[in-house]
Amino acid sequence: MIAAARVPNAAGMNSPSDSPGYRALRRGRCSEQQRIYLVTTVCICRRRMFASDHVARVAADAIADPDKWLGAQLLCWVLMPDHWHGLIQLNSEVRLESVVASMKGRAARTVNRALNRKGFVWMPGFHDRALRTEEELLPAARYIVANPKRAGLVRRVGDYPYWDAIWTDRRASGLKALPQQPSGPLS
């Protein structure tokens, strides 16, 4: 089998631009203003990059900063040891790929600095699903925040420190609040 060509993407990571699996992730992807997307991205080779509290904390702080989500709003998220889920609402003419690449790059730089290392943190690409109705929003948010409990990391959802949602009062120490409410077709 011939290896796919690897070219740098917007986050400075190499991506298998010609692989069928990578193309399938992008097929039909569009970025709609005011649309909410359920996004999942995984760590390189599914490594447990965020298994240590120190690394998870610095990554969570970089991800949760509302000032860094230009053109989008992070409504809900969880950082698992080897992947991340989030609900992202696009608020302007920004593309979903750009928003996710920015988040992944920001988190990767922070993690690499904290570990005094260089290298990949995330696999190229991501999975997304556009939420079409308001009825999909609450189940998607519950799916995200319950992920650590389903994975057996905690007994109660509130015990896991690396998640947040704009609809809760819960704020882990050091995580910045996400004060805005979603607006647009699902609100």
mmCIF file of all heavy atoms in Angstrom, residues 67-97:
data_model
loop_
_atom_site.group_PDB
_atom_site.id
_atom_site.type_symbol
_atom_site.label_atom_id
_atom_site.label_comp_id
_atom_site.label_asym_id
_atom_site.label_seq_id
_atom_site.Cartn_x
_atom_site.Cartn_y
_atom_site.Cartn_z
ATOM 1 N N ASP A 67 -12.262 34.009 25.219
ATOM 2 C CA ASP A 67 -11.690 35.045 24.360
ATOM 3 C C ASP A 67 -10.967 34.469 23.144
ATOM 4 O O ASP A 67 -10.650 35.195 22.207
ATOM 5 C CB ASP A 67 -10.714 35.912 25.158
ATOM 6 C CG ASP A 67 -11.412 36.678 26.274
ATOM 7 O OD1 ASP A 67 -12.611 36.982 26.127
ATOM 8 O OD2 ASP A 67 -10.757 36.946 27.293
ATOM 9 N N LYS A 68 -10.693 33.184 23.165
ATOM 10 C CA LYS A 68 -9.960 32.545 22.060
ATOM 11 C C LYS A 68 -10.879 31.929 21.010
ATOM 12 O O LYS A 68 -10.416 31.456 19.989
ATOM 13 C CB LYS A 68 -9.032 31.448 22.605
ATOM 14 C CG LYS A 68 -8.046 31.929 23.629
ATOM 15 C CD LYS A 68 -7.063 32.902 23.054
ATOM 16 C CE LYS A 68 -6.023 33.259 24.101
ATOM 17 N NZ LYS A 68 -5.276 34.420 23.769
ATOM 18 N N TRP A 69 -12.159 31.912 21.242
ATOM 19 C CA TRP A 69 -13.111 31.283 20.320
ATOM 20 C C TRP A 69 -13.707 32.325 19.373
ATOM 21 O O TRP A 69 -14.924 32.442 19.242
ATOM 22 C CB TRP A 69 -14.199 30.553 21.105
ATOM 23 C CG TRP A 69 -13.664 29.328 21.767
ATOM 24 C CD1 TRP A 69 -13.043 29.248 22.967
ATOM 25 C CD2 TRP A 69 -13.658 28.016 21.225
ATOM 26 N NE1 TRP A 69 -12.642 27.961 23.218
ATOM 27 C CE2 TRP A 69 -13.019 27.175 22.164
ATOM 28 C CE3 TRP A 69 -14.137 27.452 20.040
ATOM 29 C CZ2 TRP A 69 -12.840 25.815 21.951
ATOM 30 C CZ3 TRP A 69 -13.959 26.099 19.848
ATOM 31 C CH2 TRP A 69 -13.319 25.300 20.786
ATOM 32 N N LEU A 70 -12.854 33.068 18.694
ATOM 33 C CA LEU A 70 -13.291 34.147 17.820
ATOM 34 C C LEU A 70 -14.216 33.620 16.728
ATOM 35 O O LEU A 70 -13.875 32.677 16.023
ATOM 36 C CB LEU A 70 -12.083 34.841 17.212
ATOM 37 C CG LEU A 70 -11.092 35.409 18.230
ATOM 38 C CD1 LEU A 70 -9.885 36.006 17.526
ATOM 39 C CD2 LEU A 70 -11.761 36.429 19.120
ATOM 40 N N GLY A 71 -15.366 34.217 16.617
ATOM 41 C CA GLY A 71 -16.327 33.804 15.594
ATOM 42 C C GLY A 71 -17.131 32.585 15.972
ATOM 43 O O GLY A 71 -17.939 32.104 15.185
ATOM 44 N N ALA A 72 -16.919 32.073 17.182
ATOM 45 C CA ALA A 72 -17.644 30.882 17.632
ATOM 46 C C ALA A 72 -17.796 30.944 19.147
ATOM 47 O O ALA A 72 -17.144 31.737 19.817
ATOM 48 C CB ALA A 72 -16.906 29.611 17.230
ATOM 49 N N GLN A 73 -18.659 30.091 19.647
ATOM 50 C CA GLN A 73 -18.867 30.003 21.086
ATOM 51 C C GLN A 73 -18.819 28.536 21.493
ATOM 52 O O GLN A 73 -19.468 27.680 20.872
ATOM 53 C CB GLN A 73 -20.226 30.598 21.449
ATOM 54 C CG GLN A 73 -20.499 30.621 22.921
ATOM 55 C CD GLN A 73 -21.852 31.236 23.245
ATOM 56 O OE1 GLN A 73 -22.661 31.483 22.354
ATOM 57 N NE2 GLN A 73 -22.103 31.472 24.508
ATOM 58 N N LEU A 74 -18.054 28.248 22.521
ATOM 59 C CA LEU A 74 -17.981 26.905 23.073
ATOM 60 C C LEU A 74 -19.096 26.774 24.103
ATOM 61 O O LEU A 74 -19.056 27.410 25.148
ATOM 62 C CB LEU A 74 -16.604 26.676 23.702
ATOM 63 C CG LEU A 74 -16.324 25.290 24.251
ATOM 64 C CD1 LEU A 74 -16.475 24.222 23.169
ATOM 65 C CD2 LEU A 74 -14.929 25.248 24.856
ATOM 66 N N LEU A 75 -20.097 25.958 23.796
ATOM 67 C CA LEU A 75 -21.267 25.836 24.664
ATOM 68 C C LEU A 75 -21.083 24.787 25.751
ATOM 69 O O LEU A 75 -21.574 24.942 26.865
ATOM 70 C CB LEU A 75 -22.501 25.464 23.834
ATOM 71 C CG LEU A 75 -22.846 26.391 22.670
ATOM 72 C CD1 LEU A 75 -24.037 25.862 21.905
ATOM 73 C CD2 LEU A 75 -23.091 27.803 23.170
ATOM 74 N N CYS A 76 -20.390 23.719 25.418
ATOM 75 C CA CYS A 76 -20.246 22.589 26.316
ATOM 76 C C CYS A 76 -19.046 21.788 25.842
ATOM 77 O O CYS A 76 -18.816 21.688 24.636
ATOM 78 C CB CYS A 76 -21.530 21.754 26.229
ATOM 79 S SG CYS A 76 -21.545 20.242 27.179
ATOM 80 N N TRP A 77 -18.269 21.226 26.772
ATOM 81 C CA TRP A 77 -17.098 20.440 26.371
ATOM 82 C C TRP A 77 -16.659 19.513 27.493
ATOM 83 O O TRP A 77 -17.007 19.714 28.650
ATOM 84 C CB TRP A 77 -15.934 21.353 25.969
ATOM 85 C CG TRP A 77 -15.466 22.257 27.082
ATOM 86 C CD1 TRP A 77 -15.969 23.494 27.384
ATOM 87 C CD2 TRP A 77 -14.454 21.986 28.048
ATOM 88 N NE1 TRP A 77 -15.304 24.004 28.480
ATOM 89 C CE2 TRP A 77 -14.368 23.101 28.902
ATOM 90 C CE3 TRP A 77 -13.599 20.917 28.267
ATOM 91 C CZ2 TRP A 77 -13.477 23.175 29.958
ATOM 92 C CZ3 TRP A 77 -12.708 20.977 29.325
ATOM 93 C CH2 TRP A 77 -12.646 22.117 30.153
ATOM 94 N N VAL A 78 -15.912 18.489 27.090
ATOM 95 C CA VAL A 78 -15.249 17.608 28.044
ATOM 96 C C VAL A 78 -13.907 17.206 27.446
ATOM 97 O O VAL A 78 -13.801 16.929 26.253
ATOM 98 C CB VAL A 78 -16.093 16.359 28.403
ATOM 99 C CG1 VAL A 78 -16.286 15.430 27.219
ATOM 100 C CG2 VAL A 78 -15.497 15.606 29.589
ATOM 101 N N LEU A 79 -12.893 17.210 28.286
ATOM 102 C CA LEU A 79 -11.557 16.764 27.901
ATOM 103 C C LEU A 79 -11.318 15.420 28.567
ATOM 104 O O LEU A 79 -11.180 15.330 29.787
ATOM 105 C CB LEU A 79 -10.501 17.774 28.342
ATOM 106 C CG LEU A 79 -9.063 17.450 27.965
ATOM 107 C CD1 LEU A 79 -8.877 17.471 26.446
ATOM 108 C CD2 LEU A 79 -8.109 18.441 28.626
ATOM 109 N N MET A 80 -11.298 14.370 27.765
ATOM 110 C CA MET A 80 -11.065 13.016 28.245
ATOM 111 C C MET A 80 -9.563 12.723 28.156
ATOM 112 O O MET A 80 -8.823 13.479 27.526
ATOM 113 C CB MET A 80 -11.875 12.032 27.405
ATOM 114 C CG MET A 80 -13.380 12.267 27.485
ATOM 115 S SD MET A 80 -14.050 11.912 29.106
ATOM 116 C CE MET A 80 -13.946 10.115 29.101
ATOM 117 N N PRO A 81 -9.089 11.631 28.756
ATOM 118 C CA PRO A 81 -7.655 11.347 28.691
ATOM 119 C C PRO A 81 -7.107 11.237 27.267
ATOM 120 O O PRO A 81 -5.953 11.596 27.035
ATOM 121 C CB PRO A 81 -7.533 10.009 29.431
ATOM 122 C CG PRO A 81 -8.669 10.039 30.410
ATOM 123 C CD PRO A 81 -9.789 10.720 29.661
ATOM 124 N N ASP A 82 -7.922 10.779 26.316
ATOM 125 C CA ASP A 82 -7.409 10.593 24.953
ATOM 126 C C ASP A 82 -8.252 11.255 23.856
ATOM 127 O O ASP A 82 -8.019 11.000 22.675
ATOM 128 C CB ASP A 82 -7.242 9.101 24.646
ATOM 129 C CG ASP A 82 -8.564 8.353 24.603
ATOM 130 O OD1 ASP A 82 -9.604 8.924 24.995
ATOM 131 O OD2 ASP A 82 -8.557 7.183 24.173
ATOM 132 N N HIS A 83 -9.215 12.082 24.222
ATOM 133 C CA HIS A 83 -10.017 12.779 23.211
ATOM 134 C C HIS A 83 -10.764 13.958 23.828
ATOM 135 O O HIS A 83 -10.732 14.152 25.045
ATOM 136 C CB HIS A 83 -10.977 11.823 22.495
ATOM 137 C CG HIS A 83 -12.072 11.267 23.360
ATOM 138 N ND1 HIS A 83 -11.869 10.228 24.247
ATOM 139 C CD2 HIS A 83 -13.377 11.589 23.470
ATOM 140 C CE1 HIS A 83 -13.004 9.943 24.860
ATOM 141 N NE2 HIS A 83 -13.935 10.762 24.411
ATOM 142 N N TRP A 84 -11.416 14.717 22.963
ATOM 143 C CA TRP A 84 -12.175 15.902 23.379
ATOM 144 C C TRP A 84 -13.499 15.924 22.624
ATOM 145 O O TRP A 84 -13.542 15.612 21.430
ATOM 146 C CB TRP A 84 -11.372 17.165 23.049
ATOM 147 C CG TRP A 84 -12.054 18.452 23.370
ATOM 148 C CD1 TRP A 84 -12.061 19.096 24.573
ATOM 149 C CD2 TRP A 84 -12.814 19.283 22.492
ATOM 150 N NE1 TRP A 84 -12.776 20.273 24.486
ATOM 151 C CE2 TRP A 84 -13.246 20.398 23.213
ATOM 152 C CE3 TRP A 84 -13.169 19.177 21.149
ATOM 153 C CZ2 TRP A 84 -14.022 21.408 22.645
ATOM 154 C CZ3 TRP A 84 -13.938 20.179 20.579
ATOM 155 C CH2 TRP A 84 -14.356 21.284 21.334
ATOM 156 N N HIS A 85 -14.575 16.276 23.335
ATOM 157 C CA HIS A 85 -15.885 16.513 22.720
ATOM 158 C C HIS A 85 -16.294 17.946 23.026
ATOM 159 O O HIS A 85 -16.039 18.442 24.127
ATOM 160 C CB HIS A 85 -16.979 15.627 23.335
ATOM 161 C CG HIS A 85 -16.835 14.173 23.103
ATOM 162 N ND1 HIS A 85 -17.033 13.583 21.885
ATOM 163 C CD2 HIS A 85 -16.532 13.164 23.965
ATOM 164 C CE1 HIS A 85 -16.867 12.274 21.995
ATOM 165 N NE2 HIS A 85 -16.549 12.001 23.245
ATOM 166 N N GLY A 86 -16.958 18.587 22.095
ATOM 167 C CA GLY A 86 -17.468 19.923 22.355
ATOM 168 C C GLY A 86 -18.686 20.246 21.513
ATOM 169 O O GLY A 86 -18.882 19.682 20.438
ATOM 170 N N LEU A 87 -19.503 21.139 22.034
ATOM 171 C CA LEU A 87 -20.591 21.741 21.268
ATOM 172 C C LEU A 87 -20.148 23.146 20.921
ATOM 173 O O LEU A 87 -19.887 23.966 21.816
ATOM 174 C CB LEU A 87 -21.885 21.803 22.088
ATOM 175 C CG LEU A 87 -22.664 20.520 22.255
ATOM 176 C CD1 LEU A 87 -23.865 20.738 23.176
ATOM 177 C CD2 LEU A 87 -23.119 19.969 20.914
ATOM 178 N N ILE A 88 -20.029 23.419 19.636
ATOM 179 C CA ILE A 88 -19.534 24.702 19.148
ATOM 180 C C ILE A 88 -20.606 25.349 18.306
ATOM 181 O O ILE A 88 -21.153 24.727 17.387
ATOM 182 C CB ILE A 88 -18.267 24.504 18.284
ATOM 183 C CG1 ILE A 88 -17.163 23.828 19.093
ATOM 184 C CG2 ILE A 88 -17.799 25.832 17.706
ATOM 185 C CD1 ILE A 88 -15.972 23.383 18.254
ATOM 186 N N GLN A 89 -20.910 26.610 18.614
ATOM 187 C CA GLN A 89 -21.841 27.381 17.789
ATOM 188 C C GLN A 89 -21.051 28.415 16.997
ATOM 189 O O GLN A 89 -20.299 29.205 17.575
ATOM 190 C CB GLN A 89 -22.890 28.089 18.634
ATOM 191 C CG GLN A 89 -23.898 28.836 17.780
ATOM 192 C CD GLN A 89 -25.036 29.425 18.591
ATOM 193 O OE1 GLN A 89 -24.894 29.700 19.775
ATOM 194 N NE2 GLN A 89 -26.171 29.610 17.946
ATOM 195 N N LEU A 90 -21.222 28.376 15.692
ATOM 196 C CA LEU A 90 -20.561 29.364 14.832
ATOM 197 C C LEU A 90 -21.408 30.624 14.820
ATOM 198 O O LEU A 90 -22.591 30.573 14.505
ATOM 199 C CB LEU A 90 -20.403 28.809 13.410
ATOM 200 C CG LEU A 90 -19.586 27.523 13.293
ATOM 201 C CD1 LEU A 90 -19.484 27.108 11.828
ATOM 202 C CD2 LEU A 90 -18.205 27.700 13.896
ATOM 203 N N ASN A 91 -20.794 31.755 15.167
ATOM 204 C CA ASN A 91 -21.533 33.009 15.282
ATOM 205 C C ASN A 91 -21.236 33.987 14.163
ATOM 206 O O ASN A 91 -21.818 35.051 14.120
ATOM 207 C CB ASN A 91 -21.230 33.672 16.630
ATOM 208 C CG ASN A 91 -21.728 32.831 17.777
ATOM 209 O OD1 ASN A 91 -22.742 32.152 17.671
ATOM 210 N ND2 ASN A 91 -21.012 32.855 18.884
ATOM 211 N N SER A 92 -20.319 33.670 13.291
ATOM 212 C CA SER A 92 -19.981 34.584 12.202
ATOM 213 C C SER A 92 -19.598 33.756 10.990
ATOM 214 O O SER A 92 -19.809 32.552 10.956
ATOM 215 C CB SER A 92 -18.842 35.519 12.624
ATOM 216 O OG SER A 92 -17.649 34.780 12.788
ATOM 217 N N GLU A 93 -19.002 34.392 10.032
ATOM 218 C CA GLU A 93 -18.636 33.724 8.780
ATOM 219 C C GLU A 93 -17.369 32.880 8.908
ATOM 220 O O GLU A 93 -16.675 32.663 7.933
ATOM 221 C CB GLU A 93 -18.453 34.772 7.667
ATOM 222 C CG GLU A 93 -19.736 35.479 7.290
ATOM 223 C CD GLU A 93 -20.776 34.537 6.687
ATOM 224 O OE1 GLU A 93 -20.400 33.583 5.970
ATOM 225 O OE2 GLU A 93 -21.974 34.756 6.942
ATOM 226 N N VAL A 94 -17.087 32.383 10.088
ATOM 227 C CA VAL A 94 -15.910 31.545 10.314
ATOM 228 C C VAL A 94 -16.246 30.103 9.930
ATOM 229 O O VAL A 94 -17.394 29.673 10.030
ATOM 230 C CB VAL A 94 -15.448 31.645 11.791
ATOM 231 C CG1 VAL A 94 -16.460 31.052 12.732
ATOM 232 C CG2 VAL A 94 -14.095 31.028 11.994
ATOM 233 N N ARG A 95 -15.246 29.362 9.477
ATOM 234 C CA ARG A 95 -15.444 27.962 9.106
ATOM 235 C C ARG A 95 -15.161 27.070 10.313
ATOM 236 O O ARG A 95 -14.239 27.338 11.096
ATOM 237 C CB ARG A 95 -14.551 27.585 7.936
ATOM 238 C CG ARG A 95 -14.883 28.367 6.665
ATOM 239 C CD ARG A 95 -14.056 27.942 5.487
ATOM 240 N NE ARG A 95 -14.098 26.519 5.208
ATOM 241 C CZ ARG A 95 -15.091 25.887 4.572
ATOM 242 N NH1 ARG A 95 -16.142 26.564 4.164
ATOM 243 N NH2 ARG A 95 -15.026 24.588 4.346
ATOM 244 N N LEU A 96 -15.945 26.022 10.443
ATOM 245 C CA LEU A 96 -15.772 25.092 11.551
ATOM 246 C C LEU A 96 -14.351 24.539 11.593
ATOM 247 O O LEU A 96 -13.748 24.435 12.662
ATOM 248 C CB LEU A 96 -16.794 23.955 11.452
ATOM 249 C CG LEU A 96 -16.777 22.936 12.586
ATOM 250 C CD1 LEU A 96 -17.085 23.594 13.929
ATOM 251 C CD2 LEU A 96 -17.766 21.808 12.297
ATOM 252 N N GLU A 97 -13.787 24.208 10.423
ATOM 253 C CA GLU A 97 -12.431 23.669 10.375
ATOM 254 C C GLU A 97 -11.428 24.637 10.990
ATOM 255 O O GLU A 97 -10.494 24.223 11.671
ATOM 256 C CB GLU A 97 -11.996 23.381 8.934
ATOM 257 C CG GLU A 97 -12.831 22.355 8.211
ATOM 258 C CD GLU A 97 -13.980 22.978 7.439
ATOM 259 O OE1 GLU A 97 -14.989 23.301 8.079
ATOM 260 O OE2 GLU A 97 -13.877 23.130 6.212
#
